Amino acid sequence: QLQLVESGGGLVQPGNSLRLSCAASGFSLENHAVGWFRQAPGKEREGILCFSSSDGSRDYADSVAGRFTISMDKAKNTVYLQMSSLKPEDTAIYYCAAVWRPHCTLQESDVYTYWGQGTQVTVSS
């Protein structure tokens, strides 16, 4: 089965940190571009980070610059979203996505062919 599964979401207080995991099965993330997206109620889906080890491309949204980091554990075929200094406006459902191409993008989310089911992150005191 070819799929992505997110985990690690939950309730966290403002200023704290949280790490989300995205585990792939049925294909290797090493030769895919990987992106993290989020969607809050009543808002459009927003691309926040992407990375591809194939060509080294990276992109990020200004709203998370300096606070969120993407990484990959090749042995576990898993990518991570490390979030720090969380704010209430970070509250959303977070999705990971992948596509077999060398260059990552946040502007054309429809190019991603594999999507996880999402994990809820709520930032509140």
Side-chain angles (χ1 to χ4, degrees):
Q1 183 178 8
L2 284 67
Q3 64 178 8
L4 296 171
V5 179
E6 300 99 337
S7 62
L11 176 64
V12 61
Q13 295 185 9
N16 285 0
S17 299
L18 197 66
R19 188 182 74 166
L20 306 183
S21 299
C22 175
S25 60
F27 67 98
S28 175
L29 290 175
E30 190 171 355
N31 58 4
H32 285 67
V34 180
W36 282 95
F37 299 81
R38 67 184 182 185
Q39 187 167 23
K43 297 183 179 180
E44 297 294 323
R45 184 172 58 197
E46 175 190 20
I48 53 176
L49 285 173
C50 74
F51 171 75
S52 175
S53 61
S54 297
D55 67 354
S57 58
R58 295 175 180 267
D59 200 5
Y60 63 92
D62 290 340
S63 59
V64 304
R67 300 189 299 119
F68 290 13
T69 302
I70 189 171
S71 62
M72 179 183 296
D73 185 331
K74 295 180 180 180
K76 295 183 177 181
N77 202 26
T78 299
V79 297
Y80 302 94
L81 179 64
Q82 180 65 51
M83 304 181 292
S84 63
S85 301
L86 284 163
K87 307 173 181 179
E89 51 262 45
D90 294 320
T91 296
I93 301 176
Y94 283 72
Y95 302 89
C96 63
V99 59
W100 189 51
R101 56 180 281 170
H103 193 76
C104 85
T105 180
L106 295 176
Q107 305 303 315
E108 303 175 25
S109 62
D110 287 347
V111 306
Y112 290 90
T113 55
Y114 301 108
W115 287 84
Q117 293 299 306
T119 185
Q120 176 71 46
V121 174
T122 302
V123 184
S124 176
S125 59

